[in-house]
Amino acid sequence: MRHARFWGTLAFRLTAGYVLAGLSLVFLATAGLYFVLVTELERNTDLFLADKLHVLRTMLRERPNDWDALREEIELESAARRYEHFYIRLLDERNAPLLTTPGLAEELDLREFSRQVQDAPEHAVAMKGRHWQSFRVTSATAPVGFPPTHTDTIQIAIDVSQEEELLARYRSWFWAILLGTFAIFPWIGYRIARHGIRPVEEMATTARHISSTNLHERILPEGYPSELASLADTFNKMLDRLEESFERISRFSADIAHDLRTPVNNIRGEAEVALARARTVEEYRDVLGSCLEETVRLSGLIGDLLFLARAESPLAHLHRERVDISELLSGVREYYEATAADSGVSLITAAPPGQVIAEVDRMLVQRAVGNLVSNALAHTPAGGSVVLGANSEVAKIRIEVADTGVGIPPEALPRVFDRFFRVDSSRSQTSGGTGLGLAIVQSIMLLHGGNVEIASQLGQGTRVTLRMPTSAPR
Ligand SMILES: Nc1ncnc2c1ncn2[C@@H]1O[C@H](COP(=O)(O)OP(=O)(O)OP(=O)(O)O)[C@@H](O)[C@H]1O
Ligand SMILES: [Mg+2]
């Protein structure tokens, strides 16, 4: 994270977004205000011009011979004003000047003035004065007398340099504000972005610290905004799962070590005792026999472990074939019949022949059912029964092994599929199994895309249900 390029960071992106948004907003607001100001000033000037024209035209129409009043209006009124300079020229029909505000010729090029106002009669247009002042100029015809005897022309120019200056000052401010925004916004944006990202970084720091030795550590979601709290929660849940599987794996390795060590120690002990002095052939035979028993157990255990490891590999594949499940169950029953008879338990199959058909790996399903039957027989006292059943469901088959045995305590039920888990783990190694049987059943079901469920009542019996799709999923 620290080494990531600044351009690629979230903080940079957020900052860039803020700056862009801020700049556009400030730009739009100031530019809008500027536009309003320009149009308002222009409108004011034009109203003033229109007003003046109106007054003069009224005077010419109604009092055409009142030269004193006209002179007052054209020559004196403008001169009396201090800040607002405007100039008026009254021309007769032949365009000879009758009255002119003093100073007009110094301010404006008269020929240019006439040309400009002629081009746009009754409209105010902008024009530059002799000293580069800004003017707005307009003209209008004025009928003289009522009814009119002839028509004069009024030309009028107003100096708008002050307004122009105001606008120029406004423009400087505009650029200054824009520059200021550009200077300050990245900083503000960066602060906001950092502030928003800090919890994520804290999380990352916590996550970095977590290793196999402190898997119990969690991110405290207090004080985080809700989106991040839910991220923290998700992360914590992931840690829960990791911790659980990590524990399971460590337990598993400890169990493997333990289960391998016991038979090896037994073999070693017997061999050492046997070699301590000379033995009879009978005694050697006994020792060899029990060593053989232990090695059979050992290789069974190793075979189971190998099977589980292979079944977990993504390369594991099945040899699917059409299997009549009731036939398969009968096969399993025949295999266990002797054992069941020995322990006085009746072993029954209750599946209609030829009706439950599925494409499965015969050997594996046999093994799964065999594991279940061996469990059932091991936990059912004499006089009890073990029933193997099967039926078809929609696109699925169901196999059931139910016994009337001792049952499993509810608190142990969720763990029976764990490797090496045995309800009564204190039971002697030779009589009890290794605790891999149900784990193998489960992985066989997973390989087939199916599942396994177990239900049990203490003292009443246990029922294990296998469900598999009738054919390989496409
Ligand atoms: N039908 C059952 N009735 C009562 N308890 C059962 C039954 N099936 C399984 N269990 C309990 O679940 C535990 C796990 O069974 P699992 O088949 O995985 O191992 P195992 O039988 O002990 O050893 P393995 O099958 O590897 O020889 C058993 O030890 C037993 O305590
Ligand atoms: Mg078993």
Side-chain angles (χ1 to χ4, degrees):
M1 175 94 175
R2 198 157 303 150
H3 303 293
R5 259 210 238 128
F6 180 62
W7 312 116
T9 59
L10 186 57
F12 173 75
R13 287 182 202 179
L14 287 174
T15 309
Y18 290 136
V19 171
L20 217 66
L23 272 184
S24 335
L25 258 173
V26 170
F27 182 85
L28 280 180
T30 36
L33 278 177
Y34 179 74
F35 179 74
V36 170
L37 192 62
V38 169
T39 37
E40 274 305 303
L41 284 174
E42 248 173 41
R43 206 171 70 95
N44 258 358
T45 311
D46 292 355
L47 278 177
F48 177 83
L49 292 175
D51 192 49
K52 274 280 160 229
L53 282 179
H54 179 72
V55 169
L56 286 168
R57 285 170 96 178
T58 313
M59 285 171 80
L60 283 171
R61 191 175 64 230
E62 268 147 35
R63 289 179 290 158
N65 299 316
D66 191 348
W67 283 95
D68 281 344
L70 274 173
R71 186 168 289 123
E72 158 93 27
E73 188 69 32
I74 295 175
E75 292 185 348
L76 300 179
E77 147 113 42
S78 162
R81 297 211 183 195
R82 187 150 173 221
Y83 293 111
E84 200 165 32
H85 301 293
F86 61 91
Y87 303 90
I88 302 171
R89 201 150 74 126
L90 184 65
L91 305 170
D92 66 11
E93 293 157 289
R94 288 178 305 280
N95 278 344
L98 295 172
L99 280 172
T100 305
T101 309
L104 174 62
E106 284 97 76
E107 300 291 332
L108 282 175
D109 179 339
L110 293 177
R111 211 163 332 142
E112 175 70 11
F113 177 36
S114 294
R115 211 175 52 75
Q116 290 277 355
V117 293
Q118 246 161 34
D119 285 352
E122 307 256 1
H123 279 288
V125 291
M127 156 171 195
K128 283 284 170 201
R130 284 187 195 278
H131 317 294
W132 291 104
Q133 323 90 302
S134 302
F135 279 95
R136 274 182 89 73
V137 296
T138 185
S139 76
T141 52
V144 180
F146 192 78
T149 54
H150 60 279
T151 306
D152 285 354
T153 303
I154 307 164
Q155 294 178 337
I156 179 163
I158 180 163
D159 187 341
V160 288
S161 301
Q162 288 201 24
E163 281 88 338
E164 287 288 311
E165 262 169 44
L166 175 77
L167 289 179
R169 273 203 302 279
Y170 187 100
R171 281 194 299 273
S172 324
W173 274 110
F174 174 74
W175 290 118
I177 288 174
L178 219 58
L179 252 159
T181 315
F182 196 73
I184 292 172
F185 257 60
W187 184 77
I188 296 178
Y190 187 68
R191 305 289 321 185
I192 298 177
R194 295 296 312 171
H195 185 75
I197 293 168
R198 189 168 313 132
V200 181
E201 286 182 344
E202 281 171 18
M203 263 184 223
T205 313
T206 315
R208 248 198 305 278
H209 284 158
I210 292 177
S211 69
S212 60
T213 49
N214 58 351
L215 261 181
H216 56 277
E217 276 187 25
R218 294 291 178 270
I219 296 172
L220 293 177
E222 284 99 56
Y224 285 142
S226 56
E227 299 92 334
L228 293 181
S230 97
L231 179 64
D233 188 50
T234 312
F235 186 77
N236 285 343
K237 291 217 174 91
M238 186 191 83
L239 283 179
D240 286 345
R241 290 194 298 273
L242 268 180
E243 190 182 7
E244 200 191 303
S245 36
F246 194 80
E247 254 172 27
R248 200 183 295 220
I249 289 171
S250 354
R251 214 170 38 230
F252 183 43
S253 347
D255 287 342
I256 291 180
H258 178 262
D259 276 58
L260 289 177
R261 195 179 57 188
T262 314
V264 172
N265 277 351
N266 288 351
I267 294 171
R268 183 180 165 178
E270 286 189 50
E272 276 171 358
V273 171
L275 289 176
R277 58 179 174 82
R279 304 277 174 186
T280 63
V281 173
E282 287 307 306
E283 281 169 330
Y284 282 131
R285 196 186 291 274
D286 270 1
V287 170
L288 279 180
S290 74
C291 283
L292 183 63
E293 222 170 78
E294 291 291 354
T295 44
V296 166
R297 217 177 117 71
L298 204 51
S299 68
L301 171 65
I302 292 170
D304 284 352
L305 284 171
L306 266 179
F307 176 85
L308 281 170
R310 286 209 194 102
E312 256 171 20
S313 135
L315 294 175
H317 60 277
L318 300 174
H319 303 283
R320 287 185 186 266
E321 57 187 306
R322 260 176 75 88
V323 175
D324 179 347
I325 300 294
S326 85
E327 203 179 282
L328 183 145
L329 294 185
S330 304
V332 175
R333 193 202 52 194
E334 272 163 34
Y335 184 83
Y336 283 98
E337 214 151 37
T339 322
D342 280 352
S343 47
V345 175
S346 51
L347 184 57
I348 308 154
T349 50
Q355 279 186 20
V356 187
I357 311 279
E359 273 177 36
V360 293
D361 188 316
R362 183 192 295 273
M363 297 294 286
L364 292 189
V365 176
Q366 234 161 23
R367 183 167 186 177
V369 178
N371 282 359
L372 296 182
V373 173
S374 110
N375 281 352
L377 291 176
H379 297 98
T380 306
S385 65
V386 173
V387 181
L388 308 183
N391 61 358
S392 299
E393 293 178 343
V394 187
K396 272 189 182 166
I397 57 153
R398 192 164 69 102
I399 301 175
E400 210 175 75
V401 177
D403 63 54
T404 57
V406 295
I408 302 170
E411 67 277 6
L413 214 48
R415 295 194 51 204
V416 290
F417 294 107
D418 287 1
R419 293 168 189 187
F420 291 112
F421 177 80
R422 288 179 305 248
V423 173
D424 185 7
S425 50
S426 63
R427 224 165 5 164
S428 90
Q429 287 295 315
T430 35
S431 71
T434 50
L436 290 175
L438 285 177
I440 288 173
V441 172
Q442 189 175 44
S443 68
I444 291 175
M445 283 308 106
L446 289 181
L447 277 176
H448 279 87
N451 69 326
V452 49
E453 278 166 17
I454 187 161
S456 187
Q457 283 254 298
L458 262 188
Q460 306 264 314
T462 304
R463 174 191 304 269
V464 184
T465 310
L466 309 179
R467 279 198 179 79
M468 282 169 281
T470 42
S471 56
R474 296 198 191 286

